[in-house]
Amino acid sequence: MQSFLADDREALHVAITGDGRPMVLLHGWTATHRDWKPFVSTFGASHRVFRWDARGHGGHPLATGQAPTVERMARDLENLMAHWDLQDAVVIGHSMGALTLWQYLRDFGTKRLSHVVFIDQSPRLLTDEHWSNGIYGDFDSERNASFVSDLEQDFAETVLRLVANGLNERGRRKYIENGTGMQMARERLRALDPAPLIACWKSLTAADYRQVLGRIDVPALLIYGEESNFYTSNTARWVRDAIPGAQMHVYDGVDHAPHLWQAERFLHDVLGFVGAECDESCAMCA
């Protein structure tokens, strides 16, 4: 891991691999740069790959006390790209990473970017009487307030229930069965400092990027899970139609992390989208 200082003097940690056109990978809420490990070798054959631990994530205590709001994380992304003088970059955001990228586009535009990829996300998480394309299709401000209260009482279990109580029946069964994987996830979440992550969640659920989508002027690729825990096919279609010229792939039978469940397809789709080629390890290109 390398590190750089953001403009508020917070040290941010980044893993850098490969050579070529820059590619920046933005993970989801409560996750780390390690989530992208399955893709590093193939992406690194044609790109210089940057995988950060977003502010407040990855087990790095905050030195400045500046909460990891989505606005601050978008500025951190600009700081990262300025620090390494990245131009013509491909930026891929999953979940929170997609929201961070939309905020970045709002605040800094596309001057450093060549392509953008958004994985299984809605531009507005909370629902209301005029918007049903957020979490579950019915996660309104009252429901979110109750969720935040639960996070403050038992962070790990509340995060697990957010996934389990969603639209994916297999996710619900896994939670009830409480197997080894679920227990490991619980222990990982219990090891995190909840305060900055709760502040981050409040920021994410306050954001609304619906007006940003129509102003995206670089090629955009959308990847959605057919059985996402959080979003219906209506959300995917709405985002596709809102971004000029966007391409979209829906991965059958998988949840909120379609890229992890169908990694070979994801590599093939992304590298084809940006005009690169898979290496010999890609089964879909063999």
Side-chain angles (χ1 to χ4, degrees):
M1 293 287 284
Q2 300 188 40
S3 65
F4 72 98
L5 292 179
D7 57 16
D8 66 347
R9 311 301 292 174
E10 185 71 55
L12 300 177
H13 298 79
V14 186
I16 306 175
T17 311
D19 190 40
R21 180 198 297 184
M23 174 181 282
V24 183
L25 307 179
L26 308 175
H27 62 73
W29 185 59
T30 76
T32 78
H33 75 283
R34 296 181 182 88
D35 280 30
W36 299 106
K37 186 176 180 180
F39 314 107
V40 170
S41 176
T42 300
F43 281 155
S46 54
H47 292 79
R48 190 181 185 201
V49 181
F50 294 76
R51 297 176 293 144
W52 75 356
D53 284 338
R55 180 181 297 244
H57 291 72
H60 308 292
L62 293 172
T64 64
Q66 175 63 48
T69 65
V70 68
E71 295 86 0
R72 180 61 252 186
M73 290 187 293
R75 190 165 189 85
D76 291 342
L77 178 57
E78 173 63 12
N79 291 166
L80 180 155
M81 292 205 273
H83 180 82
W84 277 284
D85 191 25
L86 303 190
Q87 305 293 334
D88 197 34
V90 178
V91 183
I92 303 175
H94 171 231
S95 195
M96 179 186 80
L99 296 171
T100 302
L101 181 51
W102 280 324
Q103 181 72 44
Y104 179 89
L105 291 166
R106 171 183 284 170
D107 294 344
F108 300 100
T110 58
K111 60 185 181 294
R112 293 185 181 275
L113 310 182
S114 69
H115 297 74
V116 290
V117 181
F118 305 98
I119 304 173
D120 210 69
Q121 190 53 286
S122 167
R124 171 132 177 92
L125 302 190
L126 298 191
T127 61
D128 58 34
E129 59 182 327
H130 304 295
W131 176 250
S132 61
N133 289 319
I135 295 173
Y136 304 161
D138 63 354
F139 196 86
D140 60 16
S141 58
E142 182 176 351
R143 192 168 179 180
N144 187 51
S146 177
F147 176 74
V148 169
S149 178
D150 289 344
L151 285 173
E152 293 168 344
Q153 297 300 314
D154 188 339
F155 180 81
E157 207 63 36
T158 302
V159 172
L160 293 177
R161 287 198 300 264
L162 178 71
V163 178
N165 293 336
L167 306 177
N168 185 291
E169 179 59 32
R170 281 175 295 180
R172 186 175 298 108
R173 288 201 305 269
K174 286 181 180 179
Y175 179 77
I176 294 171
E177 291 166 0
N178 195 31
T180 301
M182 187 62 59
Q183 294 174 38
M184 291 176 62
R186 183 176 290 108
E187 290 307 307
R188 181 186 67 80
L189 288 165
R190 285 175 175 169
L192 302 178
D193 179 2
L197 295 170
I198 293 171
C200 181
W201 177 265
K202 291 177 180 178
S203 170
L204 299 175
T205 53
D208 185 347
Y209 300 111
R210 287 174 289 184
Q211 299 305 312
V212 175
L213 272 56
R215 302 199 296 268
I216 297 175
D217 59 2
V218 294
L221 175 66
L222 310 174
I223 307 289
Y224 282 88
E226 181 195 31
E227 298 180 10
S228 173
N229 309 78
F230 306 119
Y231 307 114
T232 69
S233 59
N234 290 335
T235 301
R237 288 193 294 267
W238 195 98
V239 176
R240 179 199 62 195
D241 293 345
I243 300 176
Q247 300 179 35
M248 184 172 78
H249 298 290
V250 178
Y251 290 8
D252 294 344
V254 296
D255 60 19
H256 182 56
H259 57 310
L260 295 177
W261 287 109
Q262 296 189 20
E264 294 289 353
R265 179 179 179 184
F266 177 71
L267 287 165
H268 179 267
D269 289 343
V270 170
L271 291 175
F273 170 66
V274 302
E277 294 182 356
C278 300
D279 64 18
E280 294 179 354
S281 67
C282 178
M284 295 192 69
C285 300

